[in-house]
Amino acid sequence: MKARRLFLLLFLPVLLNAQEQEPAAAKVVEQWDYLELTLEGPETGNPYLEVDLSAVFTNGHREIEAQGFYDGEGIYKIRFMPDEPGQWRYKTWSNVWPLTAQEGDFTVTPAGEGNHGPVRVYQQYHFAYADGTVYYPFGTTTYNWLHRPRETQKATIETLRGSPFNKLRMLVFPEGKGSRSAPERFPFEGDPPADWDFSRFNPEYFRQIEARLLELREIGVEADLILFHKYGSEWGFDTMPAEVDDRYLRYIVARLSAFRNVWWSMANEYDFVKTKQESDWDRYFQIVRAGDPYNHLRSIHNGFLIYDHNKPWVTHASIQNGAAVEESGRAQMYLDVWRKPVVYDEVKYEGDNERRWGNLSGEEMTHRVWCGIVAGTYVGHGECYNQPDKVVWLSTGGRLHGTSPARIAFLKEILESGPGPINQVDKWQDTQLAGVPGEFYLKYFGHDAPLEWTFQLPRAGVRTGQVYTVDIIDTWDMTVTPVEGTFTLERKDRYHFVDEAGRVVDLPGKPNMALRITRVGGQAGRVTEEDPNL
Amino acid sequence: MKARRLFLLLFLPVLLNAQEQEPAAAKVVEQWDYLELTLEGPETGNPYLEVDLSAVFTNGHREIEAQGFYDGEGIYKIRFMPDEPGQWRYKTWSNVWPLTAQEGDFTVTPAGEGNHGPVRVYQQYHFAYADGTVYYPFGTTTYNWLHRPRETQKATIETLRGSPFNKLRMLVFPEGKGSRSAPERFPFEGDPPADWDFSRFNPEYFRQIEARLLELREIGVEADLILFHKYGSEWGFDTMPAEVDDRYLRYIVARLSAFRNVWWSMANEYDFVKTKQESDWDRYFQIVRAGDPYNHLRSIHNGFLIYDHNKPWVTHASIQNGAAVEESGRAQMYLDVWRKPVVYDEVKYEGDNERRWGNLSGEEMTHRVWCGIVAGTYVGHGECYNQPDKVVWLSTGGRLHGTSPARIAFLKEILESGPGPINQVDKWQDTQLAGVPGEFYLKYFGHDAPLEWTFQLPRAGVRTGQVYTVDIIDTWDMTVTPVEGTFTLERKDRYHFVDEAGRVVDLPGKPNMALRITRVGGQAGRVTEEDPNL
């Protein structure tokens, strides 16, 4: 192996927004942004197979090891996402001498505006950014957008910027070509459709993905990266040898872990990938977990057979279910099973597709997202209206045409008006009610169309004398109508409190109405752990 | 330790029904009945702690090891349930010489009428006896009946004999006394309420349980034995040291495994037993599994927090959920999670209790059982009407007063009229329909009250030209009304088949109606494993 002159570059990732750029020489990086070490090393042999590279980063009291990767043409990189401001140092390690024992230091500044860090599980069933800001996932899916023409990608980013969506599901490997143009790039060296040198990655392919991830990061969208799928069988990426699968995972995790908006989704419809066993998926999870020093969220999305989300490497359940969020009582059932957040990433899509997974009305899509929210879960949007140009959001991104996104934005605002994540308060009695007990509630009537609702709250967290306001919410017309006056609690029976004057809320007899119930007076109540049925 | 004269008795369990008795000298036992070896041994020291005893039973090609137990007064026993007819031999092993190396042989005759063997998991989500006869669990609960006066026990057996119920949940340890008389016996030597010598069992306590199990066996009722609970805290059996828990489990499993109608339920509301950790429950399962050579069904029943039923020692999910079977779409959701049978053993009870877990109407109890059945799951009944004599079925057994048991019997007949266990056929589209695809279906409309139903079946298992009959079922009035004529299939669209003449079934516009749809002509169809949404 030829020894080469070594130089070391330390610079920040190029952000599209010029205002966020820092001088390359500054040796300064923002918390939860990433530092990128660039080293020159051997390009003979096969660096993808032969060169190990990592670095240990420390701020004195903590050490974090990050894996490096070969970026082609003799360039090696190590990326690091610091999670604390202060002075940090690093030292590289490699089995190749020009890459090893390189040392340096840098300064980490506090996170700037709009930078809340990576998303974590929060309050058992929910999510928050690392800085503590609650994150309510309102996701959508554009499976193949990373592999479509640049113009479509730009349109996708612009659409997302103006949408409520803050999470995007996408495939790392391209979909099958179908009737569209083939992707411009492929993840391995070789020739399409399937003549690949699986021992050599195509760095350009991954650089393109990284650029898109930074664009998403810039607009506050989490990137739910789907690592395997079965939709591109012509390319053969679902039938690679196990050692290639594993190397691919180590490579992409080394490249992308430092992006704070990355989530790892092992697969879409994992059980439809007939070439793999359940033990393969277990192994993938463990490889991803081992290679990612930041512990980004990890999930696996099912077809018809649900993975065992109790396994310790699963951070949240990513569910496809075509019926679960038709009704909030169904939607909440999985929470008790896994004691983890449940995200219904696929619940059928809004659209006019002839297949029944793709022809929900906007009304029904909106209804399903509400059902999920008042179940204490989250629901992913998708859209597949047939378009003359075949630019269908679900697959390619581009533009949205449906009627649900505006309503989802409205729901998101309602949810954000509350004090934090909501859970079902009395799950075996009223599956249409969720809230923060004694503080804030959403009641969603779904397909029911009542003419009135007697003010009543379950006992958890409430007490006599508490005072509440009620807003009537039309989830489709997107109106919020305050009910005049307030509601003052007194105990009704063992389980419930009602307004002391027996007040009733008049409702318009329409479906898809909701209530927002907010405490505005009285003392906070207590939430006990007792058997709620006693 | 004093050496004693040894004698060995070989006899059959005393059955209450004299017709089933065999001469004690016959050395003949029926398949799935049990053989009982009786040995005399030491009664000094503490045999419960000091004596190990087991026997290996073999019919030449198989060896099965069964654990023995001390039955008091110098008597030791080993019970064995043979699962194949033929000639069998045994040989004992013990750490005490008079009990070890005893040998003998016996004949196993084929199972007699009404003896189908123990119940196993069947077709993944269902149950069958060991002889292949399908077993549909229609369970009920009388938690404390083993610990009530003999007269009440007799009434319980008579009630069960005339009921649809073929499974009974019951506590091994007594409930707290409450306002009732204390139990006559306790499982340990000592004095109530809590002055126990945990190192010495009271064999009489267990013999009494065994007599009840044989009575249940005689009338075809499976005994779902609850090994721990929290309702008798005054006796202290929920706060025993771990070594006592473990010894108790080994003892009861050694005594009762040979009863073919035993099921092991680790706990009722396990998560409400605050003295134990999840790891304790895992350990209990493993002790029970290790001690039971027949692999009887094993489950654990939750309060509010569901155990991880994916763990390999769980044979089926035993669920408490107060809302899951209000609606068949909810009820089916757990099947995909655990890929095991789901038995909703507690779904609130029929009754007039002031607590909301105990005041379902008979109509609602019946509705819930139907919802569970068309979800491909099973639902347990319970009843707690307040009675002047405080003999409440749920707790003490005795007599049933409710209106649901007759309807449950009716449903059981309907289900037994089909070809076998039913599953949801198109679970993300029609959660009210279950069946054996292309053969037999039950459609349950629940709270809907349609005036008509257009004959339509999902594509799985069906084909053009198949001919069906339809019966209209009133689940409450218990009527079956055949619809005149037949329905001949033709394809409607990608997903459905309908009657070629577009026939519609007229319905009475009442809730809780069902349909039974039976193929009577045409060729069998194919059920493929394809993604059902494509």
Side-chain angles (χ1 to χ4, degrees):
Chain A
M1 206 172 284
K2 180 172 65 157
R4 299 179 54 147
R5 186 175 63 89
L6 166 78
F7 62 87
L8 186 64
L9 286 173
L10 182 62
F11 63 91
L12 288 168
V14 177
L15 295 174
L16 294 187
N17 185 334
Q19 293 180 301
E20 287 192 33
Q21 286 188 36
E22 293 283 339
K27 289 200 174 191
V28 170
V29 64
E30 186 177 300
Q31 182 183 11
W32 297 314
D33 196 348
Y34 67 84
L35 180 86
E36 184 170 279
L37 303 180
T38 299
L39 301 88
E40 216 172 318
E43 57 181 317
T44 54
N46 186 337
Y48 296 109
L49 302 181
E50 295 161 9
V51 179
D52 295 330
L53 173 64
S54 63
V56 170
F57 297 81
T58 180
N59 64 352
H61 63 283
R62 289 174 59 231
E63 284 194 352
I64 299 166
E65 182 174 6
Q67 300 302 309
F69 61 91
Y70 184 56
D71 202 30
E73 300 177 343
I75 299 296
Y76 293 79
K77 293 185 172 174
I78 306 169
R79 291 174 179 151
F80 174 65
M81 178 181 75
D83 59 359
E84 283 184 51
Q87 286 304 116
W88 288 73
R89 293 191 56 75
Y90 62 84
K91 184 173 183 179
T92 68
W93 177 89
S94 177
N95 60 347
V96 174
W97 77 257
L99 302 177
T100 203
Q102 302 300 323
E103 296 185 71
D105 55 20
F106 57 100
T107 300
V108 176
T109 60
E113 199 183 326
N115 173 2
H116 302 288
V119 174
R120 308 295 191 205
V121 171
Y122 176 68
Q123 293 183 354
Q124 185 150 8
Y125 300 114
H126 303 282
F127 300 94
Y129 295 101
D131 73 352
T133 305
V134 173
Y135 168 82
Y136 299 109
F138 284 89
T140 185
T141 296
T142 61
Y143 284 120
N144 209 36
W145 86 290
L146 292 172
H147 316 293
R148 302 313 306 149
R150 188 74 192 99
E151 283 312 303
T152 310
Q153 292 178 342
K154 286 179 180 168
T156 302
I157 292 289
E158 286 316 302
T159 300
L160 287 169
R161 194 193 299 273
S163 84
F165 302 118
N166 57 11
K167 180 169 87 72
L168 190 65
R169 285 179 64 75
M170 65 197 80
L171 306 174
V172 172
F173 290 134
E175 279 185 347
K177 201 168 79 66
S179 58
R180 295 179 296 260
S181 57
E184 289 173 26
R185 301 173 195 84
F186 287 90
F188 297 97
E189 286 192 14
D191 299 299
D195 181 19
W196 308 117
D197 178 356
F198 282 136
S199 76
R200 289 181 183 272
F201 295 104
N202 172 11
E204 183 53 34
Y205 183 83
F206 293 92
R207 282 197 285 270
Q208 198 252 159
I209 291 177
E210 288 155 10
R212 298 296 83 74
L213 294 195
L214 290 178
E215 289 166 10
L216 293 174
R217 199 182 78 167
E218 174 68 14
I219 59 170
V221 174
E222 302 293 304
D224 203 356
L225 282 171
I226 298 167
L227 298 169
F228 290 100
H229 64 83
K230 61 146 197 180
Y231 319 118
S233 291
E234 67 205 85
W235 318 126
F237 304 135
D238 56 338
T239 55
M240 303 187 299
E243 69 191 54
V244 178
D245 287 349
D246 296 359
R247 191 161 57 239
Y248 151 68
L249 290 174
R250 289 193 298 269
Y251 188 72
I252 195 166
V253 170
R255 291 197 72 114
L256 301 184
S257 284
F259 292 69
R260 67 173 175 266
N261 59 330
V262 160
W263 300 22
W264 307 114
S265 176
M266 297 307 122
N268 215 57
E269 298 184 325
Y270 85 99
D271 51 313
F272 293 165
V273 186
K274 299 298 185 192
T275 49
K276 300 187 194 308
Q277 309 296 314
E278 182 138 337
S279 56
D280 291 320
W281 301 111
D282 294 351
R283 192 178 81 250
Y284 300 157
F285 266 111
Q286 292 172 80
I287 290 169
V288 169
R289 183 170 64 170
D292 172 3
Y294 318 107
N295 208 31
H296 286 286
L297 293 165
R298 288 177 302 269
S299 69
I300 184 166
H301 171 272
N302 61 286
F304 242 42
L305 200 62
I306 293 182
Y307 183 85
D308 179 0
H309 297 302
N310 271 326
K311 288 181 177 173
W313 39 75
V314 180
T315 56
H316 63 287
S318 169
I319 300 294
Q320 174 177 193
N321 189 308
V325 291
E326 285 180 26
E327 201 263 323
S328 48
R330 294 181 194 167
Q332 60 88 18
M333 287 188 61
Y334 287 156
L335 292 170
D336 297 325
V337 172
W338 299 306
R339 312 176 198 170
K340 292 178 183 178
V342 172
V343 182
Y344 290 100
D345 275 306
E346 189 174 352
V347 298
K348 302 182 182 173
Y349 305 116
E350 180 178 353
D352 57 3
N353 196 287
E354 64 161 342
R355 306 300 167 95
R356 57 194 185 178
W357 46 258
N359 51 30
L360 295 185
S361 66
E363 287 85 344
E364 179 63 19
M365 182 84 244
T366 303
H367 166 69
R368 289 176 177 220
V369 181
W370 270 91
C371 284
I373 290 296
V374 296
T377 66
Y378 300 95
V379 177
H381 161 273
E383 180 182 302
C384 51
Y385 285 106
N386 292 304
Q387 297 300 320
D389 58 1
K390 297 192 175 168
V391 178
V392 174
W393 178 258
L394 175 67
S395 173
T396 57
R399 280 170 303 134
L400 286 163
H401 304 268
T403 51
S404 68
R407 278 76 188 185
I408 293 169
F410 173 72
L411 165 56
K412 192 180 176 194
E413 279 174 32
I414 299 282
L415 190 58
E416 289 171 347
S417 76
I422 62 174
N423 298 294
Q424 291 217 336
V425 180
D426 202 13
K427 67 181 178 181
W428 289 351
Q429 314 300 326
D430 182 355
T431 62
Q432 295 178 334
L433 182 74
V436 177
E439 296 294 331
F440 175 87
Y441 302 86
L442 293 179
K443 166 93 180 173
Y444 176 57
F445 294 100
H447 293 315
D448 297 346
L451 286 164
E452 60 174 42
W453 178 74
T454 301
F455 188 97
Q456 175 174 293
L457 293 176
R459 67 186 173 194
V462 305
R463 55 194 300 172
T464 298
Q466 286 185 343
V467 182
Y468 289 84
T469 58
V470 175
D471 297 304
I472 299 172
I473 294 166
D474 186 319
T475 67
W476 185 252
D477 288 344
M478 298 183 280
T479 59
V480 177
T481 309
V483 176
E484 211 169 310
T486 57
F487 299 78
T488 302
L489 291 195
E490 67 173 20
R491 186 177 271 276
K492 173 192 171 199
D493 57 25
R494 179 183 292 272
Y495 302 110
H496 301 103
F497 286 69
V498 293
D499 175 61
E500 61 187 14
R503 282 195 71 186
V504 165
V505 175
D506 292 325
L507 291 166
K510 289 171 60 180
N512 305 120
M513 300 299 292
L515 300 174
R516 176 169 58 190
I517 304 162
T518 309
R519 182 163 70 85
V520 295
Q523 291 180 294
R526 241 166 23 104
V527 181
T528 63
E529 281 237 352
E530 68 180 331
D531 175 354
N533 285 317
L534 290 183
Chain B
M1 205 171 284
K2 180 173 63 158
R4 298 178 56 144
R5 187 173 63 87
L6 165 78
F7 63 88
L8 185 64
L9 285 175
L10 181 63
F11 63 91
L12 289 168
V14 177
L15 296 174
L16 294 189
N17 184 333
Q19 293 179 301
E20 285 192 36
Q21 286 189 35
E22 292 283 341
K27 289 199 175 193
V28 170
V29 64
E30 186 176 297
Q31 182 183 10
W32 298 314
D33 196 347
Y34 67 83
L35 181 85
E36 184 169 277
L37 304 179
T38 299
L39 301 90
E40 214 171 319
E43 55 181 320
T44 53
N46 186 337
Y48 296 109
L49 302 180
E50 294 160 11
V51 179
D52 295 329
L53 173 65
S54 63
V56 170
F57 296 82
T58 179
N59 64 353
H61 63 283
R62 290 172 61 229
E63 284 193 352
I64 299 166
E65 183 176 4
Q67 301 301 310
F69 60 92
Y70 184 57
D71 201 30
E73 300 176 344
I75 300 297
Y76 293 79
K77 292 184 174 176
I78 306 169
R79 292 174 179 151
F80 174 64
M81 178 182 75
D83 59 359
E84 283 184 53
Q87 287 303 116
W88 288 75
R89 292 190 58 75
Y90 63 84
K91 184 173 182 179
T92 67
W93 178 90
S94 177
N95 59 346
V96 174
W97 75 258
L99 301 177
T100 203
Q102 302 301 322
E103 296 185 73
D105 54 21
F106 57 100
T107 301
V108 176
T109 59
E113 200 184 324
N115 173 1
H116 302 288
V119 173
R120 309 296 192 202
V121 172
Y122 177 67
Q123 293 183 356
Q124 185 149 9
Y125 300 113
H126 304 283
F127 300 94
Y129 294 101
D131 74 352
T133 305
V134 172
Y135 169 82
Y136 299 109
F138 284 89
T140 186
T141 296
T142 61
Y143 284 120
N144 209 37
W145 86 290
L146 292 173
H147 316 294
R148 302 314 304 149
R150 188 75 193 97
E151 282 312 302
T152 310
Q153 292 178 342
K154 286 179 180 169
T156 303
I157 291 291
E158 286 316 301
T159 300
L160 288 168
R161 193 194 299 274
S163 85
F165 303 118
N166 57 12
K167 180 168 87 72
L168 189 66
R169 285 179 66 72
M170 65 197 80
L171 306 174
V172 172
F173 290 134
E175 279 185 348
K177 200 168 79 67
S179 58
R180 294 180 296 261
S181 57
E184 291 173 24
R185 301 173 195 85
F186 287 91
F188 299 96
E189 286 191 14
D191 298 300
D195 181 19
W196 308 116
D197 178 355
F198 283 137
S199 76
R200 291 181 183 269
F201 295 104
N202 173 11
E204 183 53 34
Y205 184 84
F206 293 93
R207 282 196 286 269
Q208 196 253 160
I209 292 177
E210 288 155 9
R212 299 296 84 74
L213 294 194
L214 290 177
E215 289 166 9
L216 294 174
R217 199 182 79 167
E218 175 69 15
I219 59 171
V221 174
E222 302 292 306
D224 204 354
L225 282 171
I226 299 167
L227 298 168
F228 290 100
H229 65 83
K230 60 145 197 179
Y231 319 119
S233 292
E234 67 205 83
W235 317 126
F237 305 135
D238 57 337
T239 54
M240 302 187 297
E243 69 191 55
V244 177
D245 288 347
D246 297 359
R247 192 163 56 238
Y248 152 66
L249 290 174
R250 289 193 299 269
Y251 188 73
I252 194 166
V253 169
R255 289 197 75 112
L256 300 184
S257 283
F259 291 69
R260 67 173 176 267
N261 59 329
V262 160
W263 300 23
W264 307 116
S265 176
M266 297 306 122
N268 215 56
E269 298 185 324
Y270 84 99
D271 50 313
F272 293 165
V273 187
K274 298 300 184 193
T275 49
K276 300 185 193 307
Q277 309 295 314
E278 182 137 337
S279 57
D280 291 319
W281 301 111
D282 294 352
R283 191 178 82 249
Y284 300 158
F285 266 111
Q286 292 172 79
I287 290 169
V288 169
R289 183 168 65 170
D292 171 4
Y294 319 106
N295 207 31
H296 285 287
L297 294 165
R298 288 177 302 268
S299 69
I300 185 168
H301 171 272
N302 61 286
F304 243 42
L305 200 63
I306 293 181
Y307 183 84
D308 179 1
H309 298 302
N310 272 325
K311 289 182 177 172
W313 41 75
V314 180
T315 56
H316 64 285
S318 169
I319 299 294
Q320 175 177 193
N321 189 307
V325 291
E326 285 180 28
E327 200 264 323
S328 48
R330 294 182 194 167
Q332 59 90 20
M333 287 188 62
Y334 287 155
L335 292 170
D336 297 325
V337 172
W338 299 307
R339 310 177 199 169
K340 292 178 183 178
V342 173
V343 182
Y344 291 99
D345 276 304
E346 189 174 352
V347 300
K348 303 181 183 174
Y349 306 115
E350 180 179 351
D352 57 2
N353 196 287
E354 66 161 342
R355 305 299 166 94
R356 57 194 185 179
W357 48 258
N359 52 28
L360 295 184
S361 66
E363 288 86 342
E364 178 63 18
M365 183 84 244
T366 303
H367 166 71
R368 289 176 176 219
V369 181
W370 269 90
C371 285
I373 290 295
V374 297
T377 65
Y378 300 95
V379 178
H381 161 272
E383 181 182 300
C384 50
Y385 284 106
N386 291 306
Q387 297 300 322
D389 57 359
K390 297 194 175 166
V391 178
V392 174
W393 177 259
L394 174 67
S395 174
T396 57
R399 279 170 304 136
L400 287 162
H401 303 267
T403 51
S404 68
R407 278 76 188 183
I408 293 170
F410 174 73
L411 165 55
K412 192 180 176 195
E413 279 174 31
I414 299 281
L415 190 59
E416 288 171 347
S417 76
I422 61 175
N423 298 294
Q424 291 218 335
V425 181
D426 202 13
K427 66 181 179 182
W428 288 352
Q429 314 300 327
D430 182 356
T431 61
Q432 296 178 333
L433 183 74
V436 177
E439 297 294 333
F440 175 88
Y441 302 86
L442 293 180
K443 166 94 180 172
Y444 175 58
F445 295 100
H447 293 315
D448 297 347
L451 287 163
E452 60 173 43
W453 178 74
T454 301
F455 188 96
Q456 174 174 294
L457 293 175
R459 67 186 174 194
V462 304
R463 56 194 300 173
T464 297
Q466 286 184 343
V467 183
Y468 289 84
T469 57
V470 175
D471 297 305
I472 298 174
I473 294 165
D474 186 318
T475 66
W476 185 252
D477 288 344
M478 298 183 280
T479 59
V480 177
T481 309
V483 176
E484 210 170 310
T486 58
F487 298 78
T488 302
L489 290 194
E490 69 173 19
R491 187 177 270 277
K492 173 193 170 196
D493 58 25
R494 178 184 291 272
Y495 302 110
H496 301 102
F497 286 67
V498 292
D499 175 61
E500 62 186 13
R503 283 194 70 186
V504 165
V505 174
D506 292 325
L507 292 167
K510 289 170 60 179
N512 306 119
M513 300 299 293
L515 300 174
R516 176 169 58 190
I517 303 163
T518 309
R519 182 163 70 83
V520 294
Q523 293 180 295
R526 244 167 19 103
V527 181
T528 63
E529 280 239 352
E530 68 180 332
D531 175 355
N533 285 317
L534 291 182

